[in-house]
Amino acid sequence: MTCFSSSIAALRPVQTRSISPENFDGAPGSGGRATEGTGAQAARDLGPGWKVSPSVDVTAGETFTLADIDSAGVITHLWITTHTDHWRQLVVRAYWDGSEEPAVEVPYGDFFANGWGVFAQVDSQMVAANPHGGFNSYWPMPFREGARLTLENTSDTDARVYYQLTYELGGDHSEDAYFHAQWRRSNPLEAATEHVLLEGVEGQGQYVGTYLAWGVNSNGWWGEGEIKFYLDDDQPDGGFPTIAGTGTEDYFGGAWNFDIPGEGYTVFSTPYLGMPQVIRPDGLYISQQRFGLYRWHVADPIHFTTGLPRVDIQALGWKSAGRYLPLRDDIASTAVFYLDRPATTRPQAPTFDAMEVHLGGGAGPHSPAGPARRPQS
């Protein structure tokens, strides 16, 4: 793709634009002109140009348009932040070239490799998650006619969101594929079945990324399972894949259970792969281990010519006599790929109930302390 290979020193006939609450349409000379916004009260002594509109409130149950671009270009960077409460309540969507179907449909936190509603530092080339919830995407997202990005609030509480989207106008993107991302969750995974990351994708493209929010529901090691890529003419039902991994920690670039002797599970974050999050039991409300793992196939994209019939991963542990134990874990996956068309087969849209994670960090409604937060009236 030209997005990856173009030299930073090359002179190109493009223009840089930026959309934020200070300039909703990215128009030249229009940044910082707001007279109303979430910062208007704080800026009342200073006036326009002094952070009058740094953020937006995404109303409960509503969808907000982050950006609407009506010409050819490529999104080069997205920075965004909101309260941790909303990381599994907001849904990020992207539509390319006037398509009515989204190419991207992923919970907010999972899109930025933070699927558990608890911050984890991510130091990768394509996604950076910085303290305390400054989320950055550097996935190139080209389009030939236009782009629209939205944020749906599935909860009953308004969400205040700060964001800035940088993009290039112009350039020839006729040979570029479209950016896609899909989310699926098995909660729990059915007995002796694989968790499906992608299914029924038709067309030419390349698979470029995986993020898993993996919640372990049993004792013992959980990562013996293999990830499998069924490419082109491979038959998932009864057939075998072209690419089969050797284990979960192997696929994410680790080894031997991610276990440094004497230290146990050890987080790591590198440009293309990592396990940046390990949430350990606390002996009271948090009873299960939870993990966040990513693998970006930027240096090693998985190319397909006619489609991706399926990508899936096994959940395997151990039982007696050295036998594998199929696990019934909570696995949520975000699969990232580029495709020669702006829309493809996708799963049902994420809902509030489907996305919800019980953080278990405080008293519930049964406690005299009551819930930690309440819906807005």
mmCIF file of all heavy atoms in Angstrom, residues 97-117:
data_model
loop_
_atom_site.group_PDB
_atom_site.id
_atom_site.type_symbol
_atom_site.label_atom_id
_atom_site.label_comp_id
_atom_site.label_asym_id
_atom_site.label_seq_id
_atom_site.Cartn_x
_atom_site.Cartn_y
_atom_site.Cartn_z
ATOM 1 N N ASP A 97 -16.419 5.754 1.205
ATOM 2 C CA ASP A 97 -16.951 6.004 -0.142
ATOM 3 C C ASP A 97 -18.471 5.876 -0.232
ATOM 4 O O ASP A 97 -19.009 5.303 -1.182
ATOM 5 C CB ASP A 97 -16.283 5.065 -1.154
ATOM 6 C CG ASP A 97 -14.815 5.411 -1.367
ATOM 7 O OD1 ASP A 97 -14.342 6.421 -0.802
ATOM 8 O OD2 ASP A 97 -14.133 4.670 -2.087
ATOM 9 N N GLY A 98 -19.167 6.399 0.750
ATOM 10 C CA GLY A 98 -20.623 6.436 0.712
ATOM 11 C C GLY A 98 -21.308 5.132 1.059
ATOM 12 O O GLY A 98 -22.543 5.037 0.955
ATOM 13 N N SER A 99 -20.557 4.132 1.471
ATOM 14 C CA SER A 99 -21.178 2.855 1.828
ATOM 15 C C SER A 99 -22.127 3.037 3.006
ATOM 16 O O SER A 99 -21.837 3.777 3.960
ATOM 17 C CB SER A 99 -20.107 1.824 2.193
ATOM 18 O OG SER A 99 -20.688 0.639 2.697
ATOM 19 N N GLU A 100 -23.271 2.351 2.952
ATOM 20 C CA GLU A 100 -24.213 2.385 4.063
ATOM 21 C C GLU A 100 -23.833 1.396 5.154
ATOM 22 O O GLU A 100 -24.372 1.463 6.265
ATOM 23 C CB GLU A 100 -25.633 2.087 3.561
ATOM 24 C CG GLU A 100 -26.174 3.140 2.601
ATOM 25 C CD GLU A 100 -27.594 2.856 2.183
ATOM 26 O OE1 GLU A 100 -28.154 1.825 2.629
ATOM 27 O OE2 GLU A 100 -28.163 3.652 1.414
ATOM 28 N N GLU A 101 -22.928 0.476 4.864
ATOM 29 C CA GLU A 101 -22.475 -0.517 5.835
ATOM 30 C C GLU A 101 -21.079 -0.136 6.338
ATOM 31 O O GLU A 101 -20.206 0.236 5.552
ATOM 32 C CB GLU A 101 -22.432 -1.911 5.202
ATOM 33 C CG GLU A 101 -23.765 -2.381 4.643
ATOM 34 C CD GLU A 101 -24.804 -2.536 5.730
ATOM 35 O OE1 GLU A 101 -24.424 -2.951 6.856
ATOM 36 O OE2 GLU A 101 -25.988 -2.250 5.479
ATOM 37 N N PRO A 102 -20.852 -0.226 7.641
ATOM 38 C CA PRO A 102 -19.546 0.150 8.169
ATOM 39 C C PRO A 102 -18.474 -0.885 7.864
ATOM 40 O O PRO A 102 -18.728 -2.091 7.879
ATOM 41 C CB PRO A 102 -19.798 0.250 9.673
ATOM 42 C CG PRO A 102 -20.913 -0.712 9.928
ATOM 43 C CD PRO A 102 -21.792 -0.646 8.708
ATOM 44 N N ALA A 103 -17.269 -0.398 7.621
ATOM 45 C CA ALA A 103 -16.110 -1.279 7.498
ATOM 46 C C ALA A 103 -15.472 -1.513 8.859
ATOM 47 O O ALA A 103 -14.842 -2.536 9.077
ATOM 48 C CB ALA A 103 -15.093 -0.674 6.540
ATOM 49 N N VAL A 104 -15.638 -0.555 9.752
ATOM 50 C CA VAL A 104 -15.132 -0.655 11.119
ATOM 51 C C VAL A 104 -16.327 -0.615 12.063
ATOM 52 O O VAL A 104 -17.176 0.274 11.956
ATOM 53 C CB VAL A 104 -14.161 0.493 11.448
ATOM 54 C CG1 VAL A 104 -13.747 0.462 12.912
ATOM 55 C CG2 VAL A 104 -12.950 0.457 10.530
ATOM 56 N N GLU A 105 -16.393 -1.581 12.986
ATOM 57 C CA GLU A 105 -17.471 -1.620 13.978
ATOM 58 C C GLU A 105 -16.927 -2.344 15.207
ATOM 59 O O GLU A 105 -17.016 -3.560 15.323
ATOM 60 C CB GLU A 105 -18.699 -2.331 13.406
ATOM 61 C CG GLU A 105 -19.943 -2.184 14.256
ATOM 62 C CD GLU A 105 -21.181 -2.709 13.551
ATOM 63 O OE1 GLU A 105 -21.150 -3.879 13.095
ATOM 64 O OE2 GLU A 105 -22.168 -1.963 13.427
ATOM 65 N N VAL A 106 -16.347 -1.556 16.116
ATOM 66 C CA VAL A 106 -15.572 -2.122 17.230
ATOM 67 C C VAL A 106 -15.814 -1.297 18.487
ATOM 68 O O VAL A 106 -15.868 -0.070 18.416
ATOM 69 C CB VAL A 106 -14.059 -2.132 16.890
ATOM 70 C CG1 VAL A 106 -13.236 -2.674 18.051
ATOM 71 C CG2 VAL A 106 -13.792 -2.940 15.627
ATOM 72 N N PRO A 107 -15.935 -1.925 19.649
ATOM 73 C CA PRO A 107 -15.985 -1.155 20.893
ATOM 74 C C PRO A 107 -14.766 -0.245 21.016
ATOM 75 O O PRO A 107 -13.645 -0.619 20.651
ATOM 76 C CB PRO A 107 -15.982 -2.235 21.975
ATOM 77 C CG PRO A 107 -16.569 -3.439 21.309
ATOM 78 C CD PRO A 107 -16.086 -3.380 19.892
ATOM 79 N N TYR A 108 -15.001 0.916 21.566
ATOM 80 C CA TYR A 108 -13.983 1.965 21.661
ATOM 81 C C TYR A 108 -12.675 1.456 22.271
ATOM 82 O O TYR A 108 -11.593 1.623 21.694
ATOM 83 C CB TYR A 108 -14.573 3.115 22.483
ATOM 84 C CG TYR A 108 -13.641 4.206 22.897
ATOM 85 C CD1 TYR A 108 -13.546 5.380 22.159
ATOM 86 C CD2 TYR A 108 -12.881 4.100 24.063
ATOM 87 C CE1 TYR A 108 -12.711 6.412 22.563
ATOM 88 C CE2 TYR A 108 -12.043 5.116 24.470
ATOM 89 C CZ TYR A 108 -11.961 6.269 23.718
ATOM 90 O OH TYR A 108 -11.127 7.276 24.127
ATOM 91 N N GLY A 109 -12.750 0.835 23.437
ATOM 92 C CA GLY A 109 -11.529 0.392 24.101
ATOM 93 C C GLY A 109 -10.788 -0.679 23.338
ATOM 94 O O GLY A 109 -9.555 -0.655 23.236
ATOM 95 N N ASP A 110 -11.525 -1.652 22.787
ATOM 96 C CA ASP A 110 -10.893 -2.745 22.046
ATOM 97 C C ASP A 110 -10.170 -2.238 20.807
ATOM 98 O O ASP A 110 -9.126 -2.788 20.421
ATOM 99 C CB ASP A 110 -11.949 -3.773 21.646
ATOM 100 C CG ASP A 110 -12.598 -4.430 22.846
ATOM 101 O OD1 ASP A 110 -13.343 -3.739 23.574
ATOM 102 O OD2 ASP A 110 -12.390 -5.632 23.069
ATOM 103 N N PHE A 111 -10.708 -1.208 20.161
ATOM 104 C CA PHE A 111 -10.049 -0.664 18.969
ATOM 105 C C PHE A 111 -8.643 -0.172 19.303
ATOM 106 O O PHE A 111 -7.748 -0.195 18.459
ATOM 107 C CB PHE A 111 -10.885 0.476 18.373
ATOM 108 C CG PHE A 111 -10.381 0.963 17.054
ATOM 109 C CD1 PHE A 111 -10.634 0.248 15.888
ATOM 110 C CD2 PHE A 111 -9.646 2.132 16.964
ATOM 111 C CE1 PHE A 111 -10.161 0.697 14.658
ATOM 112 C CE2 PHE A 111 -9.174 2.591 15.737
ATOM 113 C CZ PHE A 111 -9.427 1.868 14.585
ATOM 114 N N PHE A 112 -8.448 0.258 20.559
ATOM 115 C CA PHE A 112 -7.152 0.771 20.982
ATOM 116 C C PHE A 112 -6.441 -0.188 21.946
ATOM 117 O O PHE A 112 -5.646 0.228 22.779
ATOM 118 C CB PHE A 112 -7.327 2.148 21.629
ATOM 119 C CG PHE A 112 -7.855 3.188 20.687
ATOM 120 C CD1 PHE A 112 -9.214 3.499 20.669
ATOM 121 C CD2 PHE A 112 -7.024 3.834 19.786
ATOM 122 C CE1 PHE A 112 -9.713 4.452 19.800
ATOM 123 C CE2 PHE A 112 -7.517 4.786 18.907
ATOM 124 C CZ PHE A 112 -8.873 5.092 18.910
ATOM 125 N N ALA A 113 -6.748 -1.490 21.809
ATOM 126 C CA ALA A 113 -6.076 -2.544 22.571
ATOM 127 C C ALA A 113 -6.219 -2.362 24.070
ATOM 128 O O ALA A 113 -5.317 -2.705 24.842
ATOM 129 C CB ALA A 113 -4.597 -2.634 22.171
ATOM 130 N N ASN A 114 -7.383 -1.842 24.497
ATOM 131 C CA ASN A 114 -7.713 -1.701 25.912
ATOM 132 C C ASN A 114 -9.154 -2.154 26.112
ATOM 133 O O ASN A 114 -10.070 -1.338 26.246
ATOM 134 C CB ASN A 114 -7.533 -0.260 26.384
ATOM 135 C CG ASN A 114 -6.147 0.030 26.898
ATOM 136 O OD1 ASN A 114 -5.893 0.085 28.096
ATOM 137 N ND2 ASN A 114 -5.215 0.227 25.967
ATOM 138 N N GLY A 115 -9.359 -3.464 26.137
ATOM 139 C CA GLY A 115 -10.710 -3.995 26.117
ATOM 140 C C GLY A 115 -11.358 -4.218 27.462
ATOM 141 O O GLY A 115 -12.537 -4.552 27.516
ATOM 142 N N TRP A 116 -10.626 -4.018 28.557
ATOM 143 C CA TRP A 116 -11.169 -4.394 29.862
ATOM 144 C C TRP A 116 -11.640 -3.217 30.702
ATOM 145 O O TRP A 116 -12.004 -3.390 31.864
ATOM 146 C CB TRP A 116 -10.139 -5.206 30.656
ATOM 147 C CG TRP A 116 -9.933 -6.588 30.109
ATOM 148 C CD1 TRP A 116 -8.799 -7.104 29.561
ATOM 149 C CD2 TRP A 116 -10.890 -7.658 30.062
ATOM 150 N NE1 TRP A 116 -8.977 -8.410 29.163
ATOM 151 C CE2 TRP A 116 -10.259 -8.768 29.472
ATOM 152 C CE3 TRP A 116 -12.231 -7.774 30.459
ATOM 153 C CZ2 TRP A 116 -10.915 -9.991 29.274
ATOM 154 C CZ3 TRP A 116 -12.878 -8.984 30.256
ATOM 155 C CH2 TRP A 116 -12.232 -10.073 29.676
ATOM 156 N N GLY A 117 -11.619 -2.006 30.163
ATOM 157 C CA GLY A 117 -12.037 -0.852 30.940
ATOM 158 C C GLY A 117 -11.048 -0.475 32.019
ATOM 159 O O GLY A 117 -11.371 0.314 32.911
#
